[in-house]
Amino acid sequence: MPTVVQLPTGKALTVRAAADVFLDSLGNPNTVRNYGIGVGKTAERLGESRPLAMVADDEIGEVLELLWGTAAVNTWNARRAAVLSWLDWCRERGHDAPAVPAWAKRLAIPDSETPARSRMAIDRMIARREVHLREKTLYRMLYETAGRSDEILGVNIEDLDFAGRRCQVKAKGARIKARRRGQAREDFVWETVYWDARTARLLPRLLKGRTRGPVFVTHRRPGPGKVVSPRDVCPDTGLARLSHGQARVLLDEHTAVRGPGTGWDLHEYRHSALTHLGEAGASLLMLMARSMHKKPENLRRYFKPSPEAVAEVTSLLAPGDSRR
């Protein structure tokens, strides 16, 4: 039988007691850790020994502003959501508790500053002779899958479905499966990414008959003092997995025109792919499936239609066929 968490009775419920019992009621350890930051620091700033019923709504808003008013938008929204859940939870159980005031609003997620490159620019960069086959394959795969760079770099050959042109990746924010007692917590729900013909042609050339280990590996074996996970080393060649930092430096070398650090970012392939799919008429649900986003507002940051695409849509308002 699951344990029923109850709050202390009476009006003398303290801020700390309410926070502790709320956090104890959360089952997922990741949620406890994330909520514990917002709820714990808020309780400490309010005064842990104060009766919760004596805290005013505006005090909650002032503490949120003081602690996270200058933080990133996602941080503000996360901490505000944690405190909101805590106070709602207390009121639902019949206790007097303040509310997050209306003026301490959830903030809209800003558009990403990462640019979207044109198809022509991507094709030309990948086609350059000085770009190694490994990087050609990585860049093409990042673009065609619209996957995150860490997800694609983390793929092993055993994960690839060559016939179906797809593989599974542990996506950002991957959810833990419902598990039976004794099962490992690393039993994640995996997401599937898909690639197209150009990646399908490049992969066999890159692998050269290798059948296991990381898809993207370094050109040198790791030094004797470096500890590498067995999954991150090719068992046949001893080469280690290409890291995100190494891949970022290589891309910068290929694309920087105003000195080191001014080139493209690996994330631009994802932005570009989703933008091009949106311009081609892919629905919002299809874009969410491709990007593995759960909320439409998060996907909006990645869609950056070109001026030409906006002009094309605008022409639909004209009478007749204005594109003749």
Side-chain angles (χ1 to χ4, degrees):
M1 292 291 290
T3 303
V4 178
V5 180
Q6 293 182 341
L7 288 169
T9 58
K11 297 290 184 181
L13 175 68
T14 64
V15 170
R16 172 46 60 189
D20 287 345
V21 181
F22 168 70
L23 294 173
D24 288 343
S25 73
L26 303 174
N28 189 314
N30 292 328
T31 305
V32 174
R33 182 171 60 253
N34 294 331
Y35 275 35
I37 298 172
V39 174
K41 289 192 174 183
T42 300
E44 182 180 351
R45 180 66 63 171
L46 288 171
E48 297 178 332
S49 61
R50 292 179 60 191
L52 185 64
M54 299 301 293
V55 178
D57 294 358
D58 283 344
E59 284 186 83
I60 298 294
E62 289 165 2
V63 168
L64 288 173
E65 284 284 354
L66 178 65
L67 292 173
W68 300 291
T70 59
V73 170
N74 285 336
T75 301
W76 164 267
N77 287 340
R79 303 297 179 250
R80 177 187 176 277
V83 173
L84 182 68
S85 296
W86 167 45
L87 299 176
D88 286 349
W89 188 87
C90 292
R91 285 195 301 275
E92 288 169 1
R93 281 150 184 79
H95 285 267
D96 293 336
V100 174
W103 55 264
K105 297 179 180 179
R106 184 182 188 278
L107 300 178
I109 299 174
D111 289 344
S112 171
E113 296 180 356
T114 303
R117 304 291 176 176
S118 69
R119 290 186 181 88
M120 182 179 295
I122 291 172
D123 289 343
R124 285 180 174 176
M125 199 281 292
I126 295 176
R128 285 162 52 182
R129 290 186 178 182
E130 66 269 26
V131 178
H132 190 274
L133 175 61
R134 179 188 59 189
E135 283 81 75
K136 289 180 186 288
T137 309
L138 173 61
Y139 304 155
R140 182 60 64 184
M141 196 170 182
L142 286 171
Y143 177 68
E144 292 188 356
T145 62
R148 297 177 178 89
S149 52
D150 286 338
E151 296 166 358
I152 301 304
L153 287 167
V155 172
N156 275 21
I157 300 172
E158 303 93 310
D159 304 327
L160 302 175
D161 177 357
F162 291 96
R165 295 180 178 176
R166 59 190 174 187
C167 68
Q168 289 190 317
V169 298
K170 190 175 76 174
K172 179 181 178 182
R175 295 168 290 123
I176 298 175
K177 285 183 180 179
R179 64 191 184 95
R180 297 180 183 275
R181 183 172 297 176
Q183 285 183 326
R185 287 198 178 276
E186 290 75 18
D187 190 12
F188 287 94
V189 175
W190 292 62
E191 302 281 3
T192 303
V193 296
Y194 301 81
W195 60 83
D196 203 4
R198 295 186 181 183
T199 299
R201 287 195 294 268
L202 290 170
L203 275 173
R205 293 173 53 196
L206 173 68
L207 299 179
K208 295 180 180 178
R210 289 196 298 125
T211 59
R212 54 184 182 164
V215 172
F216 301 100
V217 294
T218 58
H219 292 156
R220 297 179 182 177
R221 295 185 179 186
K226 186 172 183 180
V227 179
V228 183
S229 166
R231 175 177 164 80
D232 294 330
V233 177
C234 174
D236 299 321
T237 65
L239 299 175
R241 186 185 307 279
L242 185 70
S243 71
H244 183 277
Q246 292 167 327
R248 184 180 64 246
V249 170
L250 288 167
L251 179 58
D252 186 67
E253 291 176 355
H254 294 317
T255 55
V257 294
R258 295 186 301 276
T262 64
W264 296 11
D265 187 83
L266 292 168
H267 211 48
E268 293 178 28
Y269 289 105
R270 175 173 168 84
H271 280 248
S272 302
L274 295 174
T275 292
H276 298 161
L277 288 170
E279 291 177 345
S283 68
L284 175 62
L285 291 177
M286 186 58 69
L287 288 174
M288 290 178 66
R290 288 286 287 173
S291 67
M292 292 174 282
H293 280 106
K294 308 305 178 187
K295 297 179 180 180
E297 60 266 27
N298 292 339
L299 174 62
R300 177 182 175 275
R301 304 171 58 215
Y302 293 82
F303 183 46
K304 295 177 177 292
S306 65
E308 293 77 14
V310 175
E312 181 73 12
V313 171
T314 304
S315 69
L316 299 177
L317 299 174
D321 187 359
S322 64
R323 292 170 287 180
R324 278 187 268 179

